[in-house]
Amino acid sequence: MAPGRAAGGKKIKKMPDINEIAKVCSTCGNCLYSCPVYNAELEEPNSPRGKVNLIKSLMDGRLETNRLNKKFIYQCLLCGSCTDTCPKGVEFVDMMVKYRNLISSGKKIPLLKKLILIFYQSFLFRKFIPVVDLLAKTPLRKKLSLPIRRKTKLKKLLTPAKKGGSYDILLFPGCVLTYFYPVLIEKIVEFLKGRGFSVVVPKNLQCCGFPYISQGWQKKFSALKKKNRKIFSAFNFKYLLVPCSTGLLAFDNYYGFGHTVEKYELTEFIYKFAKDAPVKLEIPGEKKSKITYHDPCHDLKLLKIEKEPRFFMKQLGDDFVDDKSALCCGFGGIFSAGFPATAEKILARKEAVLEEIGAGTVVTSCPGCYFRLRENLSRDVKFFIELFPAARGGDGVPSL
Ligand code: SF4
Ligand code: SF4
C-alpha cells in the first residue's frame, strides 16, 4: 500500500494527530501490565504498545488491514489503563477512536458488533425489553447475565422537550440505567431533590453515542449527538449530571460543548455539594463481609476520579476495604459481547482480588460495571447512590 493511504486503500484526509500521538510512544512497555487485554491474552499485538505499533504500520502502509489486524484493533476496551500508566502521555483511547473512525465509516465494524449496534438503537430493542424480563425469570438469567428489573414510575419523571423550563440539573441517565435499572434513576432524582436541587430528566434522550464513535461509526454518532443537543437546548440548566463516566467522556470529547456546560459524574457531583454537609451512609441489606468500591476505568484512569467515592466509602469505617488494584471488570460496552472469552478472563482476575480482600459487597458508580458485576458475580453489588439513605426507604422508592 502506498504511504499516505489508510488501510483499506482509502486516502487519508485529515487525521495527522493519530500519527502524532503514535510517534510519542517510546516502546518502553510500561503500559503492558496495566492492560487488561494483554494480561488476559499475553500476546504482544494485544498490548497497548503492540497496538500503537500496529497503527503506525497500518498508517504508513507497511501493513495491510486484514482480518487479524482488524481483530487486534477492536480487541481493546478503551479503558484508558495504558494512558494512565504511560510516562510519555500517549493518548491511547483518543488515538484508537480516531483510527477506528478513519478506517471504518461504519463499514468495517465486525459484523456481530454492528448487528448489536443496529439492534440497540432500533424500536425492536424497546420491544425486546419485556422479553428480557420474562427470560430473566428463567434459568437462562445466569447464563445470559440478564438483569432483573423493577417496575418504576420513571415515565412520570420524564419531561418532554417542548415543556422546556429552568433547572439546576439536567440528568442524562444513559442507556443502561434507563433500560435495565430505571429504579436507580428514581433514587438519584430523589436524592438530589432532597438536597434542594431542581432536576429535569428529559424525555426521548438518545444514547450518548460513545458505543458508536468508539466502534468507528461516526455518522451514526453524529445523528445521535444532534438529537441530544436539540433536546438539551430546550432547557435552561446549570449542571449536566451524567451518572456514567463513559457518557461523560463522550460529552467532554465529542460534543463540542467547550466550557459552556458544567458537566459532572455522579460521585464528583455529590462530593462537590454534599461533602460539607453531614451524610449518613448505610449499606442496605444484611452486612456479611467487607465492602469495597470498584473504580470504573473511565472514572479512575481518564477522569481521575478517585478521592470522591472514597471520601464517602471511608465513612463506613472498618467495614470498608479499599480495592487498590484498579482492575477492569471486562465490560467495555459491547467489548464483552464481541470478545466474551477475553472478558471472562478479565472478570476472573477482578473476582480473585475481591476474594483476596474479603469483599462480599461491591459498590460502584458506573452503570456498565454495575451490570457486569451484578449479573455475573455471586456478590452483593450496589450502585453508589444506594449508599445514601435519602435515596431509599420511606421515600416510596424500592430498593433493588
Ligand atoms: S507506556 Fe506509553 S510510551 Fe511506553 S510503550 Fe506504552 S504507550 Fe508506548
Ligand atoms: S485502552 Fe485498555 S484495553 Fe485498550 S490497550 Fe489500553 S489498557 Fe489495553
Side-chain angles (χ1 to χ4, degrees):
M1 190 188 301
R5 296 191 79 84
K10 281 205 182 92
K11 194 162 185 205
I12 297 171
K13 286 178 195 145
K14 202 179 159 231
M15 281 271 191
D17 48 338
I18 300 175
N19 264 328
E20 291 309 313
I21 296 169
K23 257 191 239 160
V24 178
C25 174
S26 63
T27 68
C28 67
N30 238 39
C31 52
L32 265 65
Y33 291 98
S34 67
C35 172
V37 175
Y38 176 73
N39 276 287
E41 303 302 342
L42 293 176
E43 50 190 4
E44 177 67 17
N46 253 328
S47 73
R49 177 177 65 189
K51 288 178 205 287
V52 173
N53 280 333
L54 177 60
I55 288 178
K56 276 189 201 166
S57 303
L58 292 167
M59 290 289 288
D60 67 18
R62 279 179 287 133
L63 282 179
E64 294 274 353
T65 312
N66 57 30
R67 210 180 148 85
L68 187 62
N69 291 338
K70 203 167 88 179
K71 177 179 115 29
F72 289 133
I73 292 295
Y74 279 92
Q75 198 167 5
C76 163
L77 292 138
L78 303 177
C79 66
S81 305
C82 48
T83 305
D84 191 41
T85 48
C86 174
K88 293 282 182 179
V90 172
E91 297 280 355
F92 188 90
V93 174
D94 199 35
M95 176 187 70
M96 189 58 99
V97 168
K98 282 178 173 148
Y99 186 71
R100 287 178 183 175
N101 280 277
L102 178 69
I103 61 165
S104 168
S105 304
K107 295 191 185 81
K108 289 203 172 70
I109 300 170
L111 185 63
L112 175 65
K113 285 191 172 185
K114 187 154 188 178
L115 289 175
I116 294 172
L117 287 171
I118 291 172
F119 176 59
Y120 184 47
Q121 275 302 304
S122 70
F123 76 98
L124 283 173
F125 180 70
R126 276 29 135 222
K127 297 272 176 226
F128 186 67
I129 297 281
V131 180
V132 171
D133 290 344
L134 284 178
L135 289 175
K137 289 179 190 145
T138 73
L140 280 174
R141 167 172 145 70
K142 276 278 158 218
K143 198 168 168 45
L144 300 175
S145 305
L146 299 174
I148 291 188
R149 301 193 318 138
R150 273 191 188 277
K151 281 198 172 37
T152 69
K153 302 176 206 105
L154 181 64
K155 275 189 186 160
K156 287 190 188 156
L157 269 184
L158 305 178
T159 306
K162 66 176 182 227
K163 271 199 167 175
S166 293
Y167 300 86
D168 297 320
I169 299 168
L170 187 146
L171 178 68
F172 182 93
C175 298
V176 176
L177 292 189
T178 300
Y179 297 125
F180 296 135
Y181 308 111
V183 72
L184 294 174
I185 303 174
E186 282 187 73
K187 286 170 186 291
I188 295 170
V189 173
E190 191 84 19
F191 174 80
L192 295 169
K193 285 189 173 169
R195 290 264 149 193
F197 292 105
S198 56
V199 187
V200 64
V201 190
K203 200 174 176 181
N204 295 331
L205 283 170
Q206 307 288 307
C207 167
C208 67
F210 195 80
Y212 295 86
I213 195 159
S214 68
Q215 296 301 313
W217 202 344
Q218 174 77 48
K219 203 172 156 194
K220 185 76 185 166
F221 169 76
S222 299
L224 294 168
K225 176 170 106 174
K226 199 170 160 195
K227 285 185 189 165
N228 279 332
R229 287 202 65 141
K230 192 169 173 213
I231 294 172
F232 291 163
S233 68
F235 301 95
N236 289 317
F237 58 95
K238 195 161 177 207
Y239 310 112
L240 175 62
L241 179 59
V242 190
C244 166
S245 47
T246 307
L248 190 55
L249 273 186
F251 294 130
D252 264 348
N253 295 343
Y254 308 110
Y255 268 60
F257 283 130
H259 297 295
T260 57
V261 176
E262 214 176 311
K263 307 179 245 22
Y264 289 94
E265 177 273 348
L266 185 65
T267 62
E268 66 173 347
F269 188 83
I270 295 181
Y271 179 77
K272 184 176 169 77
F273 291 100
K275 76 176 175 357
D276 298 324
V279 181
K280 193 173 171 303
L281 301 181
E282 284 169 17
I283 287 285
E286 201 189 326
K287 258 179 275 164
K288 293 190 201 108
S289 55
K290 297 274 183 193
I291 300 151
T292 196
Y293 182 77
H294 166 73
D295 290 289
C297 287
H298 287 165
D299 268 7
L300 184 67
K301 291 142 192 177
L302 297 178
L303 299 171
K304 308 293 179 196
I305 295 171
E306 184 176 12
K307 71 172 188 299
E308 291 85 349
R310 280 171 181 75
F311 175 85
F312 296 106
M313 294 300 300
K314 282 178 181 167
Q315 294 179 29
L316 297 168
D318 288 345
D319 288 335
F320 172 60
V321 55
D322 203 353
D323 172 6
K324 297 189 174 113
S325 69
L327 287 181
C328 176
C329 67
F331 181 63
I334 58 173
F335 176 91
S336 52
F339 299 98
T342 310
E344 278 292 306
K345 290 184 213 169
I346 295 170
L347 184 63
R349 209 165 151 234
K350 177 81 199 180
E351 182 146 38
V353 169
L354 296 175
E355 191 62 36
E356 200 181 305
I357 62 174
T361 299
V362 187
V363 177
T364 192
S365 58
C366 162
C369 300
Y370 177 75
F371 174 85
R372 176 84 176 145
L373 298 171
R374 186 176 189 266
E375 312 307 341
N376 289 281
L377 298 184
S378 53
R379 284 164 209 275
D380 193 17
V381 180
K382 300 286 175 208
F383 200 66
F384 182 71
I385 198 67
E386 293 182 276
L387 292 180
F388 298 88
R392 305 193 315 271
D395 53 16
V397 182
S399 203
L400 267 179

